[in-house]
Amino acid sequence: MDFEDSVFFEISNDMVAVVGMDWVPVKLNSVWTKELGWNSDEIIQLSFKNLIHPDDYISTLEQIGVPHDGQVVRDVRNRYRCKNGSYKYLCWNYKIDLKNRLIYAVVKDITQQKIYDEIYKRANKVAKLGSWSVDLAEEKVHFSQELCDLFEIDPKDVSEVEDAMSILPPDARALIEEKYKNLKERGEEYDIETVLATSKGRLFPARIMGAALKENDIIITAFGIVQDISKVKETENILRYQQELLNGLFDSSPSIIYVKDLEGRYILASRQFEILMGKSKDEILGKTDFDLFAERDALRHVRNDHQIIRTKKAEKTEDAILLPDGSEKQYISEKFPLLDAQGNVIAMAGVSTDITELHRYQTELLKAKEEAELGTKAKSEFLANMSHEIRTPMNSIMGMAEVLLESPLDEDQRSYVTILSRASESLLGIINDILDFSKIESGQMVLEKVPFPLRETVRKSIELLLIKAQEKKLELRVDIDHDVPDTVTGDAKRLQQVLINLVGNGLKFTDSGSVLLNISLRRQAQPVLEFTVQDTGIGISEDKLATLFTRFYQGDSSITRRFGGTGLGLSISKELVEKMGGQITVESRPGQGSRFIFTIPLNP
Ligand code: ADP
């Protein structure tokens, strides 16, 4: 044959070449250039030897073997370098002509096929999937490499149907033999799940499919797949476990738990929901709020749901729900959207807790508190009125005692009237305290805000106490810093009251030494006057200090008995100081005297 004239060179879609025994082509058709990019001369110059991928060189030599004359070699696969630097998989079929030292070759580009094969292999590996086929005419079995891997066997070990069946565990074998028979005889395809075992005895759940290939209505090949579905089963188990756990949690919760789809249909409802509605899950699921609740409640729920879906934010609500039996229950609910991976709302979940009892308790408590407050206020008002009423006759008694004292009296009479006058005075003091306290309690205490001379006011207060100081032989001194302004705005009477109480207490609880009043100006953001009353008296124990300004409190009962008093003075002073916008504090140690400090803003 004269190859120069060979027409196959021109009509073939494959690469055709005549190559010398030294791998140098003698003649090439134009498909080579199309496939590899090189022109004929370039390939001849480079020779095939230099175009083979270096990694494929040895395997190529192995595939070629020792050439002998007339030998036809098929399916030699290797990679060749293209002009653009990439590689293509080629598959060679050739015949050797040793006499002329030539090789006649037809070469196919199998790059695409190689890629598909690789994808198929990898996909099967990932899916743990293998395929099988039986040529029914010859009863020969073929297992794919992947299937052999699944069974941990060598492909050579399976050629007869019996070989394949013998791998299967008894139960699976009985099932598959029957299915295979039906497939072979009647073309009944199957898709079953069973447990298989590898040759090493490892059990695995598997999905097995069988199908038939027909030609002219005669089944010629049975084929199918086997897939290891351990992962799927594992996931199914985890999901089932999670579902059971969730159901258990839902149903054991004392709260009502539910999930609604975007159309407002219940897709999940807890046991408490069933109890509340007196309906089974089947009667609740798929229903909307309008099917289950009174219209007023359904409307409110739906409006609320829409807001959650729109804002994607959880909501807390507290509302009353009308039940089928006509009763009402109070619920506190937390509703929240369920989002998919992209952040879209896919459902709406809620947890509602019955707070009917708590609510009733709270309402009753509030009512009781209001009633108690009203009662206390009424009592305080009564006290305020009563002490006011007592003051009028008291003043008459005191006035009359004064008048009596001025009239001619013998010694005894004078001393009786003096006692009467003193007792009345002290009674008036007590009544005044009760009046102030009640006024404060019932919110009737109103302070004046007018300018008054500070030094003058202080002097008048102290004058009233001087006699007492002299009686007890105590030093009573007042120091007013000169930067203290003389005119201040406020309620002079009430300031006097606080001073008399504190200085009076100082004198009362001091047996020897002094009581000092100091007034200074504290220049701060809001300037304040600071009043300090310091005595050298009996002092106050630490545990009593905390409750000192509490009303009715008197330091120590034995002391009280000795000194008398109502225990209202300090609490009234504290209220007054605070009403003036200031603060009162105390520092004291038993046996070392006490120091009371109070402040009053200069420009309240
Ligand atoms: P009372 O009218 O009983 O004096 P107060 O409220 O003025 O009521 O005082 C309450 C108690 O605080 C007094 O009974 C006393 O125990 C204690 N107390 C007040 N001032 C002093 C002080 N300067 N030194 C020691 N104890 C004091």
Side-chain angles (χ1 to χ4, degrees):
M1 184 175 73
D2 181 9
F3 62 78
E4 296 283 355
D5 300 330
S6 174
V7 66
F8 298 118
F9 267 80
E10 302 317 318
I11 60 167
S12 174
N13 279 330
D14 296 328
M15 291 160 270
V16 183
V18 178
V19 193
M21 296 304 282
D22 53 359
W23 301 50
V24 178
V26 178
K27 183 174 170 68
L28 301 161
N29 70 351
S30 59
V31 184
W32 284 98
T33 306
K34 217 168 87 200
E35 293 284 356
L36 300 184
W38 309 105
N39 63 35
S40 298
D41 287 345
E42 284 171 325
I43 299 177
I44 291 166
Q45 208 163 16
L46 283 163
S47 136
F48 283 127
K49 205 181 261 179
N50 291 315
L51 289 177
I52 296 176
H53 191 293
D55 292 351
D56 291 354
Y57 196 74
I58 291 173
S59 76
T60 304
L61 288 178
E62 279 168 6
Q63 290 179 77
I64 291 170
V66 184
H68 52 266
D69 194 27
Q71 182 192 12
V72 175
V73 180
R74 293 189 192 280
D75 222 19
V76 171
R77 292 163 182 242
N78 48 13
R79 282 168 289 176
Y80 285 86
R81 182 154 51 89
C82 303
K83 196 167 182 179
N84 65 10
S86 65
Y87 281 88
K88 278 195 171 172
Y89 267 101
L90 303 187
C91 174
W92 291 66
N93 290 317
Y94 57 86
K95 185 170 177 159
I96 297 168
D97 175 359
L98 266 189
K99 270 178 253 133
N100 292 314
R101 300 200 59 74
L102 289 174
I103 295 164
Y104 301 92
V106 178
V107 183
K108 253 187 183 344
D109 172 10
I110 56 159
T111 314
Q112 268 313 320
Q113 194 192 329
K114 263 287 211 196
I115 292 170
Y116 290 143
D117 280 357
E118 193 58 28
I119 292 172
Y120 178 74
K121 259 195 201 147
R122 291 204 187 181
N124 281 348
K125 202 166 181 161
V126 170
K128 293 199 165 182
L129 198 136
S131 59
W132 58 269
S133 62
V134 182
D135 177 345
L136 292 179
E138 294 181 23
E139 284 280 318
K140 287 280 176 229
V141 176
H142 174 258
F143 272 22
S144 72
Q145 183 58 50
E146 291 79 19
L147 188 54
C148 293
D149 292 347
L150 272 187
F151 281 116
E152 297 184 290
I153 53 170
D154 196 287
K156 287 199 283 291
D157 296 346
V158 207
S159 66
E160 308 293 324
V161 174
E162 177 52 29
D163 298 337
M165 292 296 180
S166 69
I167 303 168
L168 306 171
D171 284 357
R173 177 170 183 158
L175 178 69
I176 292 167
E177 266 180 347
E178 192 203 324
K179 293 283 175 193
Y180 176 67
K181 189 165 167 271
N182 294 341
L183 173 71
K184 205 169 71 168
E185 290 171 3
R186 295 199 291 279
E188 275 178 26
E189 304 194 336
Y190 58 89
D191 182 350
I192 52 170
E193 281 185 15
T194 184
V195 177
L196 300 181
T198 68
S199 65
K200 293 183 180 149
R202 186 182 66 83
L203 296 174
F204 62 95
R207 179 182 181 180
I208 304 169
M209 285 168 80
L213 196 68
K214 291 181 188 171
E215 225 169 63
N216 300 329
D217 258 2
I218 297 166
I219 304 167
I220 51 158
T221 306
F223 68 97
I225 56 143
V226 176
Q227 185 179 19
D228 176 347
I229 52 170
S230 330
K231 271 264 149 54
V232 180
K233 287 279 155 199
E234 224 169 78
T235 317
E236 268 178 19
N237 281 343
I238 292 174
L239 275 177
R240 190 173 313 120
Y241 163 76
Q242 284 181 339
Q243 192 59 46
E244 271 168 24
L245 183 74
L246 214 61
N247 284 345
L249 284 175
F250 272 14
D251 285 343
S252 59
S253 166
S255 295
I256 291 169
I257 306 173
Y258 49 87
V259 179
K260 293 185 225 176
D261 66 15
L262 294 183
E263 270 79 50
R265 284 184 297 258
Y266 284 90
I267 49 178
L268 204 143
S270 72
R271 177 93 193 94
Q272 283 301 323
F273 202 150
E274 292 179 284
I275 294 170
L276 172 79
M277 302 311 301
K279 287 186 160 78
S280 72
K281 275 195 180 114
D282 288 344
E283 291 170 292
I284 295 172
L285 301 185
K287 301 276 166 35
T288 69
D289 283 314
F290 286 101
D291 303 319
L292 300 171
F293 294 100
E295 195 177 323
R296 63 148 221 216
D297 296 339
L299 267 172
R300 202 178 52 239
H301 293 167
V302 168
R303 224 176 286 133
N304 195 226
D305 292 353
H306 282 168
Q307 176 166 341
I308 291 163
I309 292 167
R310 204 181 57 244
T311 60
K312 297 187 187 175
K313 286 212 177 93
E315 276 256 326
K316 236 189 191 150
T317 54
E318 197 183 315
D319 43 30
I321 291 173
L322 193 64
L323 295 182
D325 65 2
S327 65
E328 257 198 9
K329 279 201 165 187
Q330 194 73 20
Y331 279 90
I332 188 160
S333 307
E334 172 104 36
K335 290 188 188 175
F336 48 93
L338 300 178
L339 308 175
D340 65 10
Q342 281 73 45
N344 302 313
V345 182
I346 46 168
M348 229 270 321
V351 182
S352 299
T353 310
D354 182 354
I355 52 158
T356 315
E357 276 309 303
L358 191 74
H359 196 254
R360 186 174 309 146
Y361 181 64
Q362 267 179 346
T363 320
E364 276 167 13
L365 210 69
L366 203 72
K367 215 170 119 209
K369 185 177 167 258
E370 274 167 9
E371 275 169 9
E373 276 171 1
L374 260 176
T376 322
K377 196 162 175 252
K379 265 187 222 153
S380 302
E381 273 168 15
F382 169 77
L383 261 182
N385 291 339
M386 284 315 289
S387 30
H388 188 77
E389 289 306 313
I390 296 170
R391 266 203 327 185
T392 321
M394 262 326 288
N395 282 329
S396 310
I397 295 171
M398 284 168 71
M400 285 306 121
E402 291 281 310
V403 175
L404 258 181
L405 277 177
E406 312 240 311
S407 65
L409 295 173
D410 64 29
E411 266 314 288
D412 285 351
Q413 284 170 330
R414 184 163 297 278
S415 104
Y416 299 150
V417 177
T418 309
I419 292 171
L420 184 74
S421 174
R422 287 243 174 102
S424 309
E425 252 171 51
S426 124
L427 196 58
L428 187 68
I430 294 171
I431 288 166
N432 278 341
D433 273 2
I434 296 175
L435 181 64
D436 283 348
F437 164 74
S438 321
K439 269 190 184 164
I440 290 167
E441 283 287 287
S442 59
Q444 290 174 16
M445 174 68 81
V446 187
L447 298 193
E448 279 191 344
K449 248 185 215 175
V450 286
F452 65 89
L454 179 70
R455 286 180 173 75
E456 169 80 5
T457 308
V458 173
R459 190 180 53 74
K460 273 190 192 155
S461 320
I462 297 302
E463 250 172 24
L464 294 170
L465 297 161
L466 268 174
I467 303 167
K468 195 167 187 187
Q470 279 158 9
E471 272 173 15
K472 290 185 84 174
K473 302 204 166 52
L474 297 171
E475 183 193 1
L476 175 56
R477 210 177 69 219
V478 180
D479 280 338
I480 303 178
D481 293 358
H482 30 254
D483 55 349
V484 171
D486 194 45
T487 307
V488 291
T489 302
D491 193 321
K493 276 241 155 53
R494 294 301 180 185
L495 175 62
Q496 250 182 334
Q497 189 178 343
V498 177
L499 285 174
I500 291 172
N501 179 243
L502 294 184
V503 179
N505 275 349
L507 296 171
K508 187 157 129 188
F509 298 106
T510 305
D511 291 330
S512 65
S514 61
V515 178
L516 303 179
L517 166 64
N518 174 262
I519 307 173
S520 56
L521 179 67
R522 288 256 163 276
R523 292 179 198 278
Q524 44 196 49
Q526 158 83 294
V528 295
L529 287 177
E530 188 177 85
F531 297 77
T532 309
V533 180
Q534 179 147 16
D535 64 51
T536 55
I538 60 170
I540 304 158
S541 64
E542 197 173 336
D543 57 323
K544 304 288 183 220
L545 277 178
T547 45
L548 200 63
F549 295 104
T550 317
R551 54 193 181 229
F552 310 124
Y553 169 81
Q554 290 177 312
D556 187 316
S557 47
S558 62
I559 295 174
T560 316
R561 252 174 271 120
R562 203 167 73 167
F563 297 97
T566 56
L568 281 175
L570 283 182
S571 77
I572 292 171
S573 297
K574 179 175 190 282
E575 293 283 350
L576 290 177
V577 166
E578 282 172 3
K579 259 195 168 312
M580 292 179 206
Q583 278 175 333
I584 185 163
T585 53
V586 58
E587 297 158 14
S588 182
R589 266 209 207 148
Q592 291 186 17
S594 313
R595 179 192 289 162
F596 287 81
I597 302 167
F598 72 93
T599 56
I600 287 176
L602 203 52
N603 303 304

